[in-house]
Amino acid sequence: MNLDNKNIAIIGLGYVGLPLAIEFGKKYQVTGFDINEKRVKELKLGHDFTLEVSDDDLKAAKNVTFSSSTKDLATANVFIVTVPTPIDENNTPDLTPLKKASSLIAGYIKKGDVVIYESTVYPGATEEVCIPIVEKESGLKFNIDFFAGYSPERINPGDKVNTLTKIMKITSGSDEATSKFVDCLYSSIITAGTHRASSIKVAEAAKVIENTQRDLNIAVINEFAKIFNKLNIDTEEVLNAAGTKWNFLKFKPGLVGGHCISVDPYYLTYKAQEVGYRPEVILAGRRINDGMGEYVASQMVKAMSKKKVHIDQAKVLVMGFTFKGDCPDVRNTKIIDIIRELQDFNVDVDISDAWASPEEVEHEYNVQLTKDVKKGIYDGIILAVDHKEYKSMGIDAVRAFGKSNHVLYDVKHVFGPLESDLRL
């Protein structure tokens, strides 16, 4: 296998697939495929709503063809799958997009072709779930007629420093020759270098524990925050003090949402339980982090009650809805947990976020964003996301939205410890 005359098809043009298509397009012919016709049309017009790729870079991508027509996959000889791998309402992995992508590829894969998966999965999923679909529906023999690789994505939405080419990439293949080919392919665009894992399963496992470890670290900090709140100690001050020790890990409390950290642990625990092991620590961390939205809402209600605010039909402004600051991504945002819990108290909630798409928010969560936030009408204000706009507003401008007796909850420590009424 060599890199000559490679025509790459990227299946899925979201936060992961689009940057990959643009970078590979600098060296190879690329077909960027997505079933979302609206998304494809937007990209053809030269704009990316995720803001991961600039308009200038999109317009300069002359070797990339964006398409929602499956027939445009016919010329590809390398297929890279970057579709979502969510969880369902029972926190069970939902591999439906991955299965559909594998079935799609089966209709176009040819002898000698390679399919590479980047979507986060549990160890074994590529070879146990995806490849059998390609093999059965194509009629080709795995590792004889076609080959497979796994190179997990490491995209950090909104991060303009640690971008695709600057993050070391894990690579793997279904045999030695494919492993070398996949590594060479990614090495041709990843300036930070690659790490070639010994097997696809090792690469899958490495990806899933990256975010599981981070999830657990945040969970223990969230538990610290709950304890320190009861002790009337500012959590940030404690963390700053402890952080003076050279080996203290610097994490902050908060809501753990998004497409990776709050999802990946469930992929690992699902597989662990399938083979007869129940992971205690991982699931405990998930329970803590999944409950933080409810915790924030209950703390807010208690604080308003102490200020003699009548909770029934009280007005609360939630500032921020995306899962992280300075990013339009609302996938699996835990801000919705705060809102739902407040609504259970019959609180009237307004949501403000200029980064989020109002249409996407309403479609995915059945809530509406407030366009024009009025001053002096809110009993409570929750600074839920640390967008740069909120930081630049200053504390007085934020508090101006509240009544004279309002409560300000600074979830993300946007301002100092003495400037808000509550902090995580």
Side-chain angles (χ1 to χ4, degrees):
M1 292 182 185
N2 58 61
L3 300 180
D4 296 337
N5 301 316
K6 290 306 174 188
N7 193 311
I8 301 172
I10 308 291
I11 314 297
L13 296 174
Y15 286 83
V16 176
L18 181 61
L20 199 64
I22 297 302
E23 288 302 326
F24 273 128
K26 295 175 181 178
K27 294 192 175 242
Y28 312 96
Q29 288 296 320
V30 174
T31 300
F33 175 84
D34 201 293
I35 59 173
N36 187 334
E37 294 181 4
K38 182 181 177 182
R39 172 67 166 160
V40 171
K41 183 178 180 180
E42 173 196 57
L43 296 176
K44 284 182 175 180
L45 291 173
H47 181 67
D48 168 30
F49 86 92
T50 71
L51 305 181
E52 292 300 304
V53 174
S54 70
D55 292 357
D56 288 342
D57 285 343
L58 268 179
K59 291 172 184 175
K62 302 303 182 183
N63 292 333
V64 182
T65 301
F66 298 114
S67 176
S68 57
S69 174
T70 58
K71 70 179 189 323
D72 288 332
L73 300 175
T75 57
N77 45 37
V78 177
F79 300 85
I80 301 180
V81 180
T82 60
V83 299
T85 44
I87 51 176
D88 62 20
E89 63 275 7
N90 299 314
N91 294 326
T92 301
D94 179 5
L95 298 181
T96 302
L98 209 54
K99 291 176 181 178
K100 287 183 177 180
S102 299
S103 182
L104 173 64
I105 289 168
Y108 294 96
I109 198 167
K110 305 170 295 297
K111 285 189 176 182
D113 289 356
V114 178
V115 55
I116 303 167
Y117 291 87
E118 288 215 6
S119 306
T120 302
V121 292
Y122 53 76
T126 299
E127 292 160 296
E128 295 167 9
V129 177
C130 302
I131 296 306
I133 293 174
V134 178
E135 189 173 40
K136 180 181 179 181
E137 296 187 18
S138 69
L140 301 177
K141 293 295 183 182
F142 177 47
N143 268 353
I144 297 175
D145 298 323
F146 76 96
F147 307 88
Y150 184 77
S151 182
E153 61 90 3
R154 280 177 164 172
I155 292 294
N156 185 25
D159 191 336
K160 301 307 179 186
V161 177
N162 300 299
T163 52
L164 173 64
T165 61
K166 298 173 184 175
I167 304 172
M168 182 171 281
K169 202 87 162 66
I170 297 173
T171 66
S172 64
S174 54
D175 61 15
E176 182 64 17
T178 308
S179 177
K180 289 180 178 178
F181 167 76
V182 173
D183 194 67
C184 286
L185 181 67
Y186 281 99
S187 292
S188 69
I189 64 167
I190 305 296
T191 57
T194 60
H195 175 89
R196 188 155 70 101
S198 61
S199 69
I200 287 176
K201 281 187 177 180
V202 168
E204 291 168 327
K207 168 58 181 177
V208 83
I209 71 165
E210 288 175 15
N211 290 320
T212 300
Q213 182 188 62
R214 186 168 177 81
D215 188 47
L216 286 170
N217 279 314
I218 297 172
V220 74
I221 300 298
N222 278 334
E223 192 155 56
F224 290 158
K226 290 182 177 182
I227 295 170
F228 297 146
N229 283 344
K230 286 186 173 293
L231 296 174
N232 293 318
I233 303 173
D234 185 77
T235 302
E236 186 178 33
E237 291 187 6
V238 175
L239 294 176
N240 287 339
T244 59
K245 189 168 187 271
W246 77 92
N247 60 352
F248 184 81
L249 302 179
K250 295 185 178 181
F251 288 87
K252 294 181 179 181
L255 305 172
V256 183
H259 67 301
C260 283
I261 300 178
S262 61
V263 173
D264 295 359
Y266 287 122
Y267 273 77
L268 183 57
T269 56
Y270 169 83
K271 189 62 177 179
Q273 290 176 106
E274 188 180 74
V275 295
Y277 180 79
R278 178 172 174 78
E280 301 292 342
V281 175
I282 298 172
L283 289 174
R286 277 283 78 228
R287 284 193 297 273
I288 292 171
N289 287 342
D290 274 347
M292 290 307 292
E294 180 180 341
Y295 175 78
V296 168
S298 64
Q299 290 291 100
M300 186 64 171
V301 168
K302 289 177 183 178
M304 289 194 300
S305 181
K306 286 181 180 178
K307 284 200 170 186
K308 309 301 182 184
V309 172
H310 187 60
I311 302 303
D312 188 38
Q313 296 186 329
K315 287 188 69 68
V316 170
L317 173 65
V318 174
M319 298 180 67
F321 190 80
T322 60
F323 93 90
K324 63 183 293 189
D326 301 338
C327 172
D329 195 350
V330 298
R331 290 175 297 171
N332 202 31
T333 176
K334 296 303 179 182
I335 310 300
I336 191 64
D337 295 345
I338 299 175
I339 294 164
R340 298 293 188 223
E341 186 68 14
L342 288 173
Q343 289 173 336
D344 284 346
F345 282 99
N346 203 31
V347 171
D348 183 12
V349 182
D350 283 349
I351 313 158
S352 174
D353 195 325
W355 283 84
S357 162
E359 295 79 18
E360 185 180 7
V361 170
E362 185 168 8
H363 180 268
E364 295 297 327
Y365 299 99
N366 196 30
V367 295
Q368 293 183 333
L369 298 181
T370 301
K371 292 182 180 179
D372 299 314
V373 180
K374 293 182 172 59
K375 294 182 178 180
I377 67 169
Y378 294 101
D379 299 293
I381 302 167
I382 299 179
L383 260 173
V385 183
D386 55 348
H387 290 317
K388 59 187 178 184
E389 289 85 355
Y390 301 157
K391 298 175 185 177
S392 63
M393 283 175 67
I395 188 65
D396 291 337
V398 172
R399 282 200 176 274
F401 295 124
K403 297 176 181 177
S404 59
N405 197 37
H406 74 272
V407 174
L408 174 60
Y409 197 149
D410 187 356
V411 175
K412 294 294 293 183
H413 297 186
V414 175
F415 301 112
L418 300 180
E419 295 181 292
S420 58
D421 303 299
L422 291 172
R423 306 209 310 165
L424 265 185

